[in-house]
Coordinates of all heavy atoms in Angstrom, one line a residue:
I561 N 13.0 -34.2 -31.4 CA 11.8 -33.6 -30.9 C 12.1 -32.1 -30.8 O 13.1 -31.7 -30.2 CB 11.4 -34.1 -29.5 CG1 11.1 -35.6 -29.7 CG2 10.3 -33.4 -29.0 CD1 10.9 -36.3 -28.4
D562 N 11.3 -31.3 -31.4 CA 11.4 -29.8 -31.4 C 10.5 -29.3 -30.3 O 9.5 -29.8 -30.0 CB 11.1 -29.2 -32.7 CG 12.0 -29.6 -33.8 OD1 13.2 -29.8 -33.5 OD2 11.6 -29.7 -35.0
G563 N 10.9 -28.1 -29.8 CA 10.1 -27.4 -28.8 C 10.4 -27.8 -27.4 O 11.3 -28.5 -27.1
D564 N 9.5 -27.3 -26.5 CA 9.6 -27.5 -25.1 C 9.2 -28.9 -24.7 O 8.1 -29.3 -25.1 CB 8.8 -26.5 -24.3 CG 8.8 -26.6 -22.8 OD1 9.6 -27.4 -22.3 OD2 8.0 -25.9 -22.2
P565 N 10.1 -29.7 -24.0 CA 9.7 -31.1 -23.6 C 8.4 -31.1 -22.8 O 7.7 -32.0 -22.9 CB 10.9 -31.6 -22.8 CG 12.0 -30.7 -23.3 CD 11.5 -29.4 -23.6
G566 N 8.2 -30.0 -22.0 CA 7.0 -30.0 -21.2 C 5.7 -30.0 -22.1 O 4.7 -30.6 -21.7
D567 N 5.8 -29.3 -23.2 CA 4.7 -29.3 -24.2 C 4.4 -30.6 -24.7 O 3.2 -31.0 -24.9 CB 4.9 -28.3 -25.3 CG 5.0 -26.8 -24.9 OD1 4.4 -26.5 -23.8 OD2 5.5 -26.0 -25.6
L568 N 5.4 -31.4 -25.0 CA 5.3 -32.8 -25.5 C 4.6 -33.6 -24.4 O 3.7 -34.4 -24.7 CB 6.6 -33.4 -25.8 CG 6.6 -34.8 -26.3 CD1 5.7 -34.9 -27.6 CD2 8.0 -35.3 -26.6
V569 N 5.0 -33.5 -23.2 CA 4.3 -34.2 -22.1 C 2.8 -33.9 -22.0 O 2.0 -34.8 -21.9 CB 5.0 -34.0 -20.7 CG1 4.2 -34.6 -19.6 CG2 6.4 -34.5 -20.7
V570 N 2.5 -32.6 -22.1 CA 1.1 -32.2 -22.1 C 0.3 -32.9 -23.3 O -0.8 -33.4 -23.1 CB 0.9 -30.7 -22.1 CG1 -0.5 -30.3 -22.3 CG2 1.5 -30.1 -20.8
R571 N 0.9 -32.8 -24.5 CA 0.3 -33.4 -25.6 C 0.1 -34.9 -25.5 O -1.0 -35.5 -25.8 CB 1.0 -33.1 -26.9 CG 1.0 -31.6 -27.3 CD 1.4 -31.3 -28.7 NE 2.6 -32.0 -29.1 CZ 3.8 -31.5 -29.2 NH1 4.0 -30.2 -28.9 NH2 4.9 -32.2 -29.6
I572 N 1.1 -35.6 -24.9 CA 1.0 -37.0 -24.7 C -0.1 -37.3 -23.7 O -0.9 -38.2 -23.9 CB 2.3 -37.6 -24.3 CG1 3.3 -37.6 -25.5 CG2 2.2 -39.1 -23.8 CD1 4.7 -37.9 -25.1
R573 N -0.1 -36.6 -22.6 CA -1.2 -36.8 -21.6 C -2.6 -36.6 -22.2 O -3.4 -37.4 -21.9 CB -1.0 -35.8 -20.4 CG -2.0 -35.9 -19.4 CD -1.9 -34.8 -18.3 NE -0.6 -34.8 -17.7 CZ 0.0 -33.7 -17.3 NH1 -0.5 -32.5 -17.5 NH2 1.2 -33.7 -16.7
E574 N -2.8 -35.5 -23.0 CA -4.1 -35.3 -23.6 C -4.4 -36.4 -24.5 O -5.6 -36.9 -24.6 CB -4.1 -33.9 -24.3 CG -4.1 -32.8 -23.3 CD -3.9 -31.4 -24.0 OE1 -3.8 -31.4 -25.3 OE2 -4.0 -30.4 -23.3
F575 N -3.5 -36.9 -25.3 CA -3.7 -38.0 -26.2 C -4.2 -39.2 -25.5 O -5.1 -39.9 -25.8 CB -2.5 -38.3 -27.1 CG -2.6 -39.5 -27.9 CD1 -3.3 -39.5 -29.1 CD2 -2.0 -40.7 -27.5 CE1 -3.4 -40.7 -29.9 CE2 -2.1 -41.9 -28.2 CZ -2.8 -41.9 -29.4
L576 N -3.4 -39.6 -24.4 CA -3.8 -40.8 -23.6 C -5.1 -40.6 -23.0 O -5.9 -41.6 -23.0 CB -2.7 -41.0 -22.6 CG -1.3 -41.5 -23.1 CD1 -0.3 -41.5 -22.0 CD2 -1.4 -42.8 -23.8
L577 N -5.4 -39.5 -22.4 CA -6.7 -39.3 -21.8 C -7.9 -39.4 -22.8 O -8.9 -40.0 -22.5 CB -6.8 -38.0 -21.0 CG -5.9 -37.9 -19.8 CD1 -5.8 -36.5 -19.3 CD2 -6.4 -38.9 -18.7
Q578 N -7.7 -38.8 -24.0 CA -8.7 -38.9 -25.0 C -8.9 -40.3 -25.5 O -10.0 -40.8 -25.7 CB -8.4 -38.0 -26.2 CG -8.5 -36.5 -25.8 CD -8.0 -35.6 -26.9 OE1 -7.5 -36.0 -27.9 NE2 -8.1 -34.3 -26.6
A579 N -7.8 -41.1 -25.6 CA -7.8 -42.5 -26.0 C -8.6 -43.3 -25.0 O -9.2 -44.3 -25.3 CB -6.4 -43.0 -26.2
M580 N -8.6 -42.9 -23.7 CA -9.3 -43.6 -22.7 C -10.7 -43.2 -22.6 O -11.5 -43.6 -21.7 CB -8.6 -43.5 -21.3 CG -7.2 -44.1 -21.3 SD -6.4 -44.0 -19.6 CE -6.4 -42.3 -19.3
G581 N -11.1 -42.2 -23.4 CA -12.5 -41.7 -23.4 C -12.7 -40.7 -22.3 O -13.9 -40.5 -21.9
E582 N -11.7 -40.1 -21.7 CA -11.9 -39.1 -20.7 C -11.5 -37.7 -21.2 O -10.6 -37.6 -22.1 CB -11.0 -39.4 -19.5 CG -11.4 -40.8 -18.8 CD -10.5 -41.1 -17.7 OE1 -10.0 -40.2 -17.0 OE2 -10.2 -42.3 -17.4
E583 N -12.1 -36.7 -20.6 CA -11.7 -35.3 -21.0 C -10.3 -35.0 -20.4 O -10.1 -35.3 -19.3 CB -12.7 -34.3 -20.5 CG -12.5 -32.9 -20.9 CD -13.6 -32.0 -20.5 OE1 -14.8 -32.4 -20.5 OE2 -13.2 -30.8 -20.1
A584 N -9.5 -34.4 -21.2 CA -8.1 -34.0 -20.7 C -8.2 -33.0 -19.6 O -9.0 -32.0 -19.7 CB -7.3 -33.5 -21.9
S585 N -7.5 -33.2 -18.6 CA -7.5 -32.2 -17.5 C -6.0 -31.9 -17.1 O -5.2 -32.9 -17.0 CB -8.2 -32.8 -16.3 OG -7.9 -32.1 -15.1
P586 N -5.7 -30.7 -16.8 CA -4.3 -30.4 -16.4 C -4.0 -30.9 -15.0 O -2.8 -30.9 -14.6 CB -4.3 -28.8 -16.5 CG -5.7 -28.4 -16.3 CD -6.5 -29.5 -16.9
H587 N -5.0 -31.3 -14.3 CA -4.8 -31.8 -12.9 C -4.5 -33.3 -12.8 O -4.3 -33.8 -11.7 CB -6.0 -31.4 -12.0 CG -6.2 -29.9 -12.1 ND1 -5.4 -29.0 -11.5 CD2 -7.2 -29.2 -12.6 CE1 -5.8 -27.8 -11.7 NE2 -6.9 -27.9 -12.4
I588 N -4.6 -34.0 -13.9 CA -4.4 -35.5 -13.9 C -2.9 -35.7 -14.2 O -2.4 -35.3 -15.1 CB -5.3 -36.2 -14.9 CG1 -6.7 -36.0 -14.5 CG2 -4.9 -37.6 -15.0 CD1 -7.7 -36.6 -15.5
E589 N -2.3 -36.5 -13.3 CA -0.9 -36.8 -13.4 C -0.8 -38.3 -14.0 O -1.5 -39.2 -13.5 CB -0.2 -36.8 -12.1 CG 0.0 -35.4 -11.5 CD 1.0 -34.6 -12.3 OE1 2.0 -35.2 -12.8 OE2 0.8 -33.4 -12.3
I590 N 0.0 -38.5 -15.0 CA 0.3 -39.8 -15.5 C 1.7 -40.1 -15.1 O 2.6 -39.4 -15.6 CB 0.1 -39.9 -17.0 CG1 -1.4 -39.6 -17.3 CG2 0.5 -41.3 -17.5 CD1 -1.7 -39.6 -18.8
T591 N 1.9 -41.0 -14.2 CA 3.3 -41.2 -13.7 C 3.5 -42.7 -13.7 O 2.6 -43.5 -13.7 CB 3.4 -40.7 -12.2 OG1 2.5 -41.3 -11.4 CG2 3.3 -39.2 -12.2
P592 N 4.8 -43.1 -13.7 CA 5.1 -44.6 -13.6 C 4.6 -45.1 -12.3 O 4.5 -44.4 -11.3 CB 6.6 -44.6 -13.6 CG 7.0 -43.3 -14.2 CD 6.0 -42.3 -13.8
V593 N 4.2 -46.4 -12.3 CA 3.7 -47.1 -11.0 C 4.9 -47.0 -10.0 O 4.6 -46.7 -8.8 CB 3.3 -48.5 -11.3 CG1 3.0 -49.2 -10.1 CG2 2.1 -48.5 -12.3
S594 N 6.0 -47.4 -10.4 CA 7.2 -47.3 -9.5 C 8.5 -47.2 -10.2 O 8.6 -47.7 -11.4 CB 7.2 -48.6 -8.6 OG 7.5 -49.7 -9.3
L595 N 9.4 -46.6 -9.6 CA 10.8 -46.5 -10.2 C 11.7 -47.3 -9.3 O 11.6 -47.2 -8.1 CB 11.2 -45.1 -10.3 CG 10.5 -44.2 -11.3 CD1 10.9 -42.8 -11.2 CD2 10.7 -44.7 -12.8
Q596 N 12.7 -48.0 -9.9 CA 13.7 -48.7 -9.1 C 15.0 -47.9 -9.2 O 15.3 -47.2 -10.2 CB 13.8 -50.1 -9.7 CG 12.6 -50.9 -9.7 CD 12.0 -51.2 -8.3 OE1 12.8 -51.5 -7.4 NE2 10.8 -51.1 -8.2
L597 N 15.8 -48.1 -8.2 CA 17.1 -47.5 -8.2 C 17.9 -47.9 -9.5 O 18.6 -47.0 -10.1 CB 17.9 -47.9 -7.0 CG 19.2 -47.2 -6.7 CD1 19.0 -45.7 -6.5 CD2 19.9 -47.7 -5.5
S598 N 17.7 -49.1 -10.0 CA 18.4 -49.5 -11.2 C 17.9 -48.8 -12.4 O 18.6 -48.9 -13.5 CB 18.2 -51.0 -11.3 OG 16.8 -51.3 -11.5
D599 N 16.8 -48.0 -12.3 CA 16.4 -47.2 -13.5 C 17.3 -46.0 -13.7 O 17.2 -45.3 -14.7 CB 14.9 -46.7 -13.3 CG 13.9 -47.9 -13.2 OD1 14.2 -48.9 -13.9 OD2 12.9 -47.8 -12.5
F600 N 18.1 -45.7 -12.7 CA 19.0 -44.5 -12.8 C 20.4 -44.9 -12.8 O 20.8 -45.8 -12.0 CB 18.7 -43.6 -11.6 CG 17.3 -43.1 -11.5 CD1 16.3 -43.8 -10.8 CD2 16.9 -41.9 -12.2 CE1 15.0 -43.3 -10.7 CE2 15.6 -41.5 -12.1 CZ 14.7 -42.2 -11.4
S601 N 21.2 -44.3 -13.6 CA 22.7 -44.5 -13.6 C 23.3 -43.1 -13.6 O 22.8 -42.1 -14.0 CB 23.1 -45.4 -14.8 OG 22.8 -44.7 -16.0
M602 N 24.6 -43.1 -13.2 CA 25.3 -41.8 -13.2 C 25.3 -41.2 -14.6 O 25.6 -41.9 -15.6 CB 26.8 -42.1 -12.7 CG 27.0 -42.6 -11.3 SD 26.1 -41.7 -10.1 CE 24.8 -42.9 -9.6
G603 N 25.0 -40.0 -14.6 CA 25.1 -39.3 -15.9 C 23.7 -39.2 -16.6 O 23.6 -38.5 -17.7
T604 N 22.7 -39.9 -16.1 CA 21.4 -39.9 -16.7 C 20.8 -38.5 -16.6 O 20.8 -37.9 -15.5 CB 20.5 -40.9 -16.0 OG1 21.0 -42.3 -16.2 CG2 19.1 -40.9 -16.7
R605 N 20.2 -38.0 -17.7 CA 19.5 -36.7 -17.7 C 18.1 -37.0 -17.1 O 17.5 -37.9 -17.5 CB 19.4 -36.1 -19.1 CG 20.7 -35.8 -19.7 CD 21.2 -34.4 -19.8 NE 20.2 -33.3 -19.8 CZ 20.3 -32.2 -19.1 NH1 21.3 -32.0 -18.3 NH2 19.5 -31.3 -19.3
V606 N 17.7 -36.1 -16.2 CA 16.4 -36.2 -15.6 C 15.7 -34.9 -15.5 O 16.3 -33.8 -15.5 CB 16.5 -36.8 -14.1 CG1 17.0 -38.3 -14.2 CG2 17.5 -36.0 -13.3
L607 N 14.4 -34.9 -15.3 CA 13.6 -33.8 -15.0 C 13.1 -33.9 -13.6 O 12.5 -34.9 -13.2 CB 12.4 -33.7 -16.0 CG 11.4 -32.6 -15.8 CD1 12.0 -31.2 -16.0 CD2 10.2 -32.8 -16.8
V608 N 13.4 -32.9 -12.8 CA 13.1 -32.9 -11.3 C 12.0 -32.0 -11.1 O 12.0 -30.8 -11.4 CB 14.4 -32.4 -10.5 CG1 14.1 -32.4 -9.0 CG2 15.6 -33.3 -10.8
G609 N 11.0 -32.5 -10.4 CA 9.8 -31.7 -10.1 C 9.1 -31.1 -11.2 O 8.3 -30.1 -11.1
G610 N 9.3 -31.6 -12.4 CA 8.6 -31.2 -13.6 C 9.1 -29.8 -14.1 O 8.5 -29.3 -15.1
T611 N 10.1 -29.2 -13.5 CA 10.5 -27.9 -13.9 C 12.0 -27.8 -14.1 O 12.5 -26.8 -14.7 CB 10.1 -26.8 -13.0 OG1 10.6 -27.1 -11.7 CG2 8.5 -26.8 -12.9
M612 N 12.8 -28.6 -13.5 CA 14.3 -28.4 -13.5 C 15.0 -29.6 -14.1 O 14.7 -30.8 -13.7 CB 14.8 -28.2 -12.0 CG 14.2 -27.1 -11.3 SD 14.7 -26.9 -9.6 CE 13.9 -28.3 -8.8
Y613 N 15.9 -29.4 -15.0 CA 16.7 -30.4 -15.7 C 18.0 -30.6 -15.0 O 18.6 -29.6 -14.5 CB 16.9 -30.2 -17.1 CG 15.6 -30.3 -18.0 CD1 14.8 -29.2 -18.2 CD2 15.3 -31.5 -18.5 CE1 13.6 -29.3 -18.9 CE2 14.1 -31.7 -19.2 CZ 13.3 -30.6 -19.4 OH 12.1 -30.7 -20.2
G614 N 18.5 -31.8 -15.0 CA 19.8 -32.1 -14.4 C 20.3 -33.4 -14.7 O 19.8 -34.1 -15.6
V615 N 21.4 -33.8 -14.0 CA 22.1 -35.1 -14.3 C 22.3 -35.8 -13.0 O 22.6 -35.2 -12.0 CB 23.5 -34.8 -14.9 CG1 24.3 -36.1 -15.1 CG2 23.4 -34.0 -16.2
V616 N 22.0 -37.1 -13.0 CA 22.2 -38.0 -11.8 C 23.6 -38.0 -11.5 O 24.5 -38.4 -12.3 CB 21.6 -39.4 -12.0 CG1 21.9 -40.3 -10.9 CG2 20.1 -39.3 -12.3
R617 N 23.9 -37.7 -10.2 CA 25.3 -37.7 -9.7 C 25.5 -38.7 -8.5 O 26.6 -39.0 -8.1 CB 25.8 -36.3 -9.2 CG 25.8 -35.3 -10.4 CD 26.9 -35.7 -11.4 NE 27.0 -34.7 -12.4 CZ 27.3 -34.9 -13.6 NH1 27.6 -36.1 -14.0 NH2 27.4 -33.9 -14.5
H618 N 24.4 -39.1 -7.9 CA 24.4 -40.1 -6.8 C 23.2 -40.9 -6.8 O 22.1 -40.4 -7.0 CB 24.6 -39.4 -5.5 CG 24.5 -40.3 -4.3 ND1 23.4 -40.5 -3.6 CD2 25.4 -41.1 -3.7 CE1 23.6 -41.4 -2.6 NE2 24.8 -41.8 -2.7
A619 N 23.3 -42.2 -6.6 CA 22.1 -43.1 -6.5 C 22.4 -44.1 -5.4 O 23.3 -44.9 -5.5 CB 21.8 -43.8 -7.8
G620 N 21.6 -44.1 -4.4 CA 21.8 -45.0 -3.3 C 21.5 -44.5 -1.9 O 20.7 -43.5 -1.8
K621 N 22.0 -45.2 -0.9 CA 21.8 -44.8 0.5 C 22.4 -43.5 0.8 O 23.5 -43.1 0.2 CB 22.3 -45.9 1.4 CG 21.8 -47.3 1.1 CD 20.4 -47.5 1.6 CE 20.0 -48.9 1.3 NZ 18.6 -49.0 1.1
V622 N 21.8 -42.8 1.8 CA 22.4 -41.5 2.3 C 22.2 -41.6 3.8 O 21.5 -42.4 4.4 CB 21.6 -40.3 1.8 CG1 21.8 -40.1 0.3 CG2 20.1 -40.4 2.1
D623 N 23.0 -40.8 4.5 CA 22.9 -40.7 6.0 C 21.8 -39.9 6.5 O 21.5 -40.0 7.7 CB 24.3 -40.2 6.5 CG 25.4 -41.2 6.3 OD1 25.1 -42.4 6.0 OD2 26.6 -40.8 6.4
F624 N 21.2 -39.0 5.7 CA 20.2 -38.1 6.2 C 18.8 -38.6 6.2 O 17.9 -37.9 6.6 CB 20.4 -36.7 5.5 CG 20.2 -36.8 4.0 CD1 18.9 -36.7 3.5 CD2 21.2 -36.9 3.2 CE1 18.7 -36.8 2.1 CE2 21.1 -36.9 1.8 CZ 19.8 -36.9 1.2
A625 N 18.6 -39.7 5.6 CA 17.2 -40.3 5.4 C 17.3 -41.8 5.1 O 18.3 -42.3 4.7 CB 16.5 -39.6 4.3
L626 N 16.2 -42.4 5.4 CA 16.1 -43.9 5.1 C 15.8 -44.1 3.6 O 15.3 -43.2 2.9 CB 15.0 -44.5 5.9 CG 15.1 -44.5 7.4 CD1 13.9 -45.1 8.1 CD2 16.4 -45.3 7.8
G627 N 16.2 -45.2 3.1 CA 15.9 -45.6 1.8 C 17.0 -45.2 0.8 O 18.0 -44.7 1.1
D628 N 16.7 -45.4 -0.5 CA 17.5 -45.0 -1.6 C 17.1 -43.7 -2.1 O 15.9 -43.4 -2.2 CB 17.5 -46.0 -2.7 CG 18.1 -47.4 -2.3 OD1 19.1 -47.4 -1.7 OD2 17.5 -48.4 -2.7
W629 N 18.1 -42.9 -2.4 CA 17.9 -41.5 -2.9 C 18.7 -41.2 -4.2 O 19.7 -41.8 -4.4 CB 18.3 -40.5 -1.8 CG 17.3 -40.5 -0.7 CD1 17.2 -41.4 0.3 CD2 16.4 -39.5 -0.4 NE1 16.2 -41.1 1.2 CE2 15.7 -39.9 0.8 CE3 16.0 -38.3 -1.1 CZ2 14.6 -39.1 1.3 CZ3 14.9 -37.6 -0.5 CH2 14.3 -38.0 0.7
I630 N 18.1 -40.3 -5.0 CA 18.8 -39.9 -6.2 C 19.3 -38.5 -6.1 O 18.5 -37.6 -5.8 CB 17.9 -40.0 -7.5 CG1 17.3 -41.4 -7.6 CG2 18.6 -39.6 -8.7 CD1 18.3 -42.5 -7.8
G631 N 20.6 -38.3 -6.2 CA 21.2 -36.9 -6.1 C 21.4 -36.4 -7.5 O 22.0 -37.1 -8.3
V632 N 20.9 -35.2 -7.7 CA 21.0 -34.6 -9.1 C 21.7 -33.3 -9.0 O 21.5 -32.4 -8.2 CB 19.5 -34.3 -9.6 CG1 19.5 -33.6 -10.9 CG2 18.7 -35.6 -9.6
E633 N 22.6 -33.1 -10.0 CA 23.2 -31.8 -10.3 C 22.3 -31.1 -11.3 O 22.2 -31.5 -12.5 CB 24.6 -32.0 -10.9 CG 25.3 -30.7 -11.2 CD 26.7 -30.8 -11.8 OE1 27.1 -31.9 -12.0 OE2 27.3 -29.8 -12.1
L634 N 21.7 -30.0 -10.9 CA 20.8 -29.3 -11.7 C 21.5 -28.4 -12.7 O 22.6 -27.9 -12.5 CB 19.9 -28.4 -10.9 CG 19.0 -29.1 -9.9 CD1 18.3 -28.1 -8.9 CD2 18.0 -30.0 -10.5
D635 N 20.9 -28.2 -13.9 CA 21.5 -27.4 -14.9 C 21.6 -25.9 -14.5 O 22.5 -25.2 -14.9 CB 20.7 -27.4 -16.2 CG 20.8 -28.8 -16.9 OD1 21.6 -29.6 -16.5 OD2 20.0 -29.0 -17.8
Q636 N 20.6 -25.4 -13.7 CA 20.5 -24.1 -13.3 C 20.4 -24.1 -11.8 O 19.9 -25.0 -11.2 CB 19.3 -23.4 -13.9 CG 19.3 -23.4 -15.4 CD 20.3 -22.5 -16.0 OE1 20.7 -21.4 -15.5 NE2 20.9 -22.9 -17.1
P637 N 20.8 -23.0 -11.1 CA 20.6 -22.9 -9.6 C 19.1 -23.1 -9.3 O 18.2 -22.7 -10.1 CB 21.0 -21.5 -9.3 CG 21.7 -20.9 -10.4 CD 21.3 -21.7 -11.6
G638 N 18.8 -23.7 -8.2 CA 17.5 -24.0 -7.8 C 17.4 -25.1 -6.8 O 16.4 -25.5 -6.3
G639 N 18.6 -25.7 -6.6 CA 18.8 -26.7 -5.6 C 19.0 -26.2 -4.2 O 18.9 -25.0 -3.9
S640 N 19.3 -27.1 -3.3 CA 19.5 -26.7 -1.9 C 20.9 -26.9 -1.4 O 21.2 -26.7 -0.2 CB 18.5 -27.5 -1.1 OG 18.7 -28.9 -1.2
H641 N 21.8 -27.4 -2.2 CA 23.2 -27.7 -1.8 C 24.2 -27.8 -2.9 O 23.8 -27.6 -4.1 CB 23.2 -29.0 -0.9 CG 22.6 -30.2 -1.6 ND1 23.3 -30.9 -2.5 CD2 21.4 -30.8 -1.5 CE1 22.6 -31.9 -2.9 NE2 21.4 -31.8 -2.3
D642 N 25.4 -28.2 -2.6 CA 26.5 -28.3 -3.6 C 26.9 -29.8 -3.7 O 28.1 -30.1 -4.1 CB 27.7 -27.4 -3.3 CG 28.4 -27.8 -1.9 OD1 27.9 -28.7 -1.2 OD2 29.4 -27.2 -1.7
G643 N 26.1 -30.7 -3.2 CA 26.4 -32.1 -3.2 C 26.7 -32.6 -1.8 O 26.9 -33.8 -1.6
T644 N 26.8 -31.6 -0.9 CA 27.1 -31.9 0.5 C 25.8 -31.7 1.3 O 25.2 -30.7 1.2 CB 28.2 -31.0 1.1 OG1 29.4 -31.2 0.3 CG2 28.5 -31.4 2.6
V645 N 25.4 -32.8 2.1 CA 24.2 -32.7 2.9 C 24.6 -33.1 4.3 O 25.2 -34.1 4.6 CB 23.1 -33.6 2.4 CG1 21.9 -33.5 3.3 CG2 22.8 -33.2 0.9
E646 N 24.3 -32.2 5.3 CA 24.6 -32.4 6.7 C 26.0 -32.8 6.9 O 26.3 -33.7 7.7 CB 23.6 -33.4 7.3 CG 22.2 -33.0 7.3 CD 21.2 -33.9 7.9 OE1 21.6 -35.0 8.4 OE2 20.0 -33.6 8.0
G647 N 26.9 -32.1 6.2 CA 28.4 -32.3 6.4 C 29.0 -33.4 5.6 O 30.2 -33.6 5.7
K648 N 28.2 -34.2 4.9 CA 28.8 -35.3 4.1 C 28.7 -35.0 2.6 O 27.6 -34.7 2.2 CB 28.1 -36.6 4.5 CG 28.6 -37.8 3.7 CD 28.1 -39.1 4.2 CE 28.8 -40.3 3.4 NZ 28.3 -41.6 3.8
R649 N 29.8 -35.2 1.9 CA 29.8 -35.0 0.5 C 29.4 -36.3 -0.2 O 30.0 -37.3 -0.1 CB 31.2 -34.5 0.0 CG 31.2 -34.4 -1.5 CD 32.0 -33.3 -2.1 NE 32.1 -32.0 -1.5 CZ 31.4 -31.0 -1.9 NH1 30.4 -31.1 -2.8 NH2 31.6 -29.8 -1.3
Y650 N 28.3 -36.2 -1.0 CA 27.8 -37.3 -1.8 C 28.2 -37.1 -3.3 O 28.4 -38.1 -4.0 CB 26.3 -37.4 -1.7 CG 25.8 -37.8 -0.3 CD1 25.5 -36.8 0.6 CD2 25.8 -39.1 0.1 CE1 25.0 -37.1 1.9 CE2 25.4 -39.4 1.4 CZ 25.0 -38.4 2.2 OH 24.6 -38.8 3.5
F651 N 28.3 -35.9 -3.7 CA 28.8 -35.6 -5.1 C 29.2 -34.1 -5.1 O 29.0 -33.4 -4.1 CB 27.8 -35.9 -6.2 CG 26.5 -35.1 -6.0 CD1 26.3 -33.9 -6.7 CD2 25.5 -35.6 -5.3 CE1 25.1 -33.3 -6.6 CE2 24.3 -34.9 -5.1 CZ 24.1 -33.8 -5.8
S652 N 29.9 -33.6 -6.1 CA 30.3 -32.2 -6.2 C 29.6 -31.5 -7.3 O 29.4 -32.0 -8.4 CB 31.8 -32.2 -6.4 OG 32.5 -32.7 -5.4
C653 N 29.1 -30.3 -7.0 CA 28.5 -29.4 -8.0 C 28.6 -28.0 -7.5 O 29.0 -27.8 -6.3 CB 27.1 -29.8 -8.4 SG 25.9 -29.7 -7.0
S654 N 28.2 -27.0 -8.3 CA 28.2 -25.6 -7.9 C 27.2 -25.4 -6.8 O 26.2 -26.2 -6.7 CB 27.8 -24.8 -9.1 OG 28.8 -24.9 -10.1
P655 N 27.4 -24.4 -6.0 CA 26.4 -24.1 -4.9 C 25.0 -23.9 -5.5 O 24.8 -23.4 -6.6 CB 26.9 -22.8 -4.3 CG 28.4 -22.8 -4.6 CD 28.5 -23.5 -5.9
L656 N 24.0 -24.4 -4.8 CA 22.6 -24.4 -5.1 C 22.2 -25.1 -6.4 O 21.2 -24.9 -7.0 CB 22.1 -22.9 -5.2 CG 22.2 -22.1 -3.9 CD1 21.8 -20.7 -4.1 CD2 21.5 -22.8 -2.7
H657 N 23.1 -26.0 -6.9 CA 22.8 -26.8 -8.0 C 22.5 -28.3 -7.6 O 22.2 -29.1 -8.5 CB 24.0 -26.8 -9.0 CG 24.0 -25.6 -9.9 ND1 24.3 -24.3 -9.4 CD2 23.8 -25.4 -11.2 CE1 24.3 -23.4 -10.3 NE2 24.0 -24.1 -11.4
G658 N 22.7 -28.6 -6.4 CA 22.4 -30.0 -5.9 C 21.1 -30.2 -5.3 O 20.5 -29.3 -4.7
Q659 N 20.4 -31.3 -5.6 CA 19.1 -31.6 -5.2 C 18.9 -33.1 -5.0 O 19.4 -33.9 -5.8 CB 18.0 -31.1 -6.2 CG 16.6 -31.1 -5.7 CD 16.4 -30.2 -4.5 OE1 16.9 -29.1 -4.5 NE2 15.6 -30.6 -3.6
Y660 N 18.2 -33.5 -3.9 CA 17.8 -34.9 -3.7 C 16.3 -34.9 -3.8 O 15.6 -34.0 -3.5 CB 18.3 -35.4 -2.3 CG 19.7 -36.0 -2.4 CD1 20.8 -35.2 -2.0 CD2 19.9 -37.3 -2.8 CE1 22.0 -35.8 -2.0 CE2 21.2 -37.8 -2.8 CZ 22.2 -37.0 -2.5 OH 23.5 -37.6 -2.5

């Protein structure tokens, strides 16, 4: 696939909306119904927040919140930590490259 992956997502969204007989709108989100923790494994490349690429470094329970969480090492600074949250290290990465 050549070009910006975001452009591909927009083209796919427009194709699907047109196929459903609706006018394409930039405000319509097409998202999976649900994701399971098993959908993520260490090293999986992901897109976070639609703008930041990274790699899964932690998947599972955390002490700072309920439920299962995915910890990502971002390719570029833009995160909020270095893999340590509230004094507990979940994974290691450069400062401001970690995001849950």
Side-chain angles (χ1 to χ4, degrees):
I561 298 174
D562 294 330
D564 180 7
D567 292 339
L568 178 60
V569 170
V570 169
R571 290 195 318 255
I572 291 171
R573 179 186 304 141
E574 289 174 354
F575 172 80
L576 292 172
L577 290 171
Q578 288 172 0
M580 293 185 304
E582 298 178 30
E583 185 177 323
S585 167
H587 303 291
I588 295 176
E589 292 287 329
I590 297 175
T591 58
V593 172
S594 66
L595 293 173
Q596 302 296 317
L597 189 61
S598 60
D599 294 329
F600 299 92
S601 61
M602 298 309 110
T604 300
R605 298 254 333 136
V606 293
L607 178 62
V608 179
T611 60
M612 300 179 289
Y613 289 92
V615 177
V616 173
R617 297 295 185 210
H618 174 262
K621 306 284 183 209
V622 294
D623 291 343
F624 60 84
L626 296 176
D628 293 318
W629 287 75
I630 304 298
V632 177
E633 177 182 3
L634 300 172
D635 293 348
Q636 302 293 323
S640 57
H641 55 78
D642 65 355
T644 301
V645 179
E646 296 182 0
K648 181 170 181 178
R649 176 146 322 264
Y650 294 94
F651 60 95
S652 295
C653 64
S654 298
L656 301 178
H657 282 69
Q659 188 69 38
Y660 273 96

